[in-house]
Amino acid sequence: MKTVDPITDDAVKKTLRDAVRYGPYPYLRERAQAVLLSSRRYSMQQIADILEVHYQTVNHWIDDYGICGLYKGYDGGKPPIYSQQEEQKIKNLVAEEPRRLSYVQAKMEESKHSSNDRYTIVMVDNASIHTSHKFKEKIADWMIEKKLIVCYLPTYSPELNLIEILWKKMKYEWLNLLSIMNFKEFEH
């Protein structure tokens, strides 16, 4: 049975009793009561019944708070998604465009993904246009200016090139070449 060790220090007992009676927040009063009851060897199920909460909630309180953790910073929910600076930016964007929240959302996504330390990887096949000297000369510039990394697929590996898979599907599954006698019939 999980419990808090019996509290022998009178000052701690008084502090917990004061927290139960005069604590500034309901969560603090409830958790202090749970710790007091646990130190008096009440089971977690009994504490849950007394406080009218779920058994696992009491288990969580005992694990996370105990005596020392009652006054830890309680945030009252999930941690914030945005920093204070980002919140201010959102407020400014909403003030500019109060009826276009999708605009605000798009701007925040744009700023989140426009980080300078991120690179974009482009996979290219070995087509002649991708292996030309002009293309290869530009790769270094693109890497510096656009944060773009060009990677080549291995030669003779059409299974890795998505467009080749599409061409194969069209050629062997969608088109019946025997039914097309000439180009005129193909157009219709």
Side-chain angles (χ1 to χ4, degrees):
M1 180 171 79
K2 184 187 301 186
T3 59
V4 173
D5 291 332
I7 301 168
T8 56
D9 188 355
D10 290 333
V12 173
K13 283 183 187 177
K14 182 177 179 351
T15 302
L16 284 170
R17 284 192 200 107
D18 288 347
V20 169
R21 289 187 190 108
Y22 311 113
Y25 306 107
Y27 76 87
L28 176 67
R29 294 189 294 270
E30 195 170 44
R31 290 174 186 168
Q33 180 70 28
V35 171
L36 277 172
L37 291 171
S38 178
S39 74
R40 291 174 46 201
R41 298 291 181 210
Y42 279 77
S43 71
M44 283 191 287
Q45 187 59 55
Q46 290 171 321
I47 296 170
D49 292 340
I50 291 168
L51 298 176
E52 297 179 347
V53 294
H54 194 273
Y55 167 85
Q56 289 185 339
T57 304
V58 176
N59 185 25
H60 174 69
W61 290 344
I62 304 265
D63 282 346
D64 290 352
Y65 300 103
I67 295 172
C68 300
L70 287 175
Y71 290 100
K72 286 184 178 174
Y74 175 75
D75 295 335
K78 290 183 178 179
I81 297 171
Y82 298 108
S83 67
Q84 289 180 342
Q85 183 182 10
E86 290 171 325
E87 281 182 29
Q88 188 58 45
K89 183 177 180 179
I90 291 171
K91 288 176 185 175
N92 293 339
L93 287 170
V94 170
E96 286 175 27
E97 298 284 342
R99 295 188 178 165
R100 291 180 53 205
L101 293 181
S102 59
Y103 165 79
V104 173
Q105 209 172 12
K107 282 292 191 184
M108 290 307 293
E109 283 294 316
E110 183 181 302
S111 69
K112 186 169 83 173
H113 294 300
S114 65
S115 174
N116 290 336
D117 59 345
R118 298 186 92 164
Y119 282 82
T120 303
I121 298 175
V122 177
M123 300 296 292
V124 295
D125 58 13
N126 289 294
S128 59
I129 193 166
H130 299 141
T131 57
S132 68
H133 291 295
K134 285 186 178 182
F135 186 87
K136 287 185 175 183
E137 288 172 2
K138 284 290 197 181
I139 291 176
D141 295 337
W142 292 334
M143 186 179 249
I144 294 168
E145 295 170 11
K146 310 246 190 242
K147 302 253 182 215
L148 187 77
I149 298 173
V150 176
C151 296
Y152 288 92
L153 290 171
T155 54
Y156 302 109
S157 57
E159 70 278 357
L160 297 177
N161 192 343
L162 294 177
I163 195 66
E164 294 292 340
I165 296 169
L166 177 65
W167 297 138
K168 181 179 177 182
K169 189 162 191 70
M170 286 174 57
K171 182 177 179 182
Y172 294 108
E173 294 178 28
W174 296 348
L175 293 177
N176 185 355
L177 295 178
L178 296 177
S179 67
I180 302 171
M181 299 305 252
N182 58 35
F183 189 70
K184 293 260 188 221
E185 286 182 23
F186 183 69
E187 289 178 332
H188 298 296

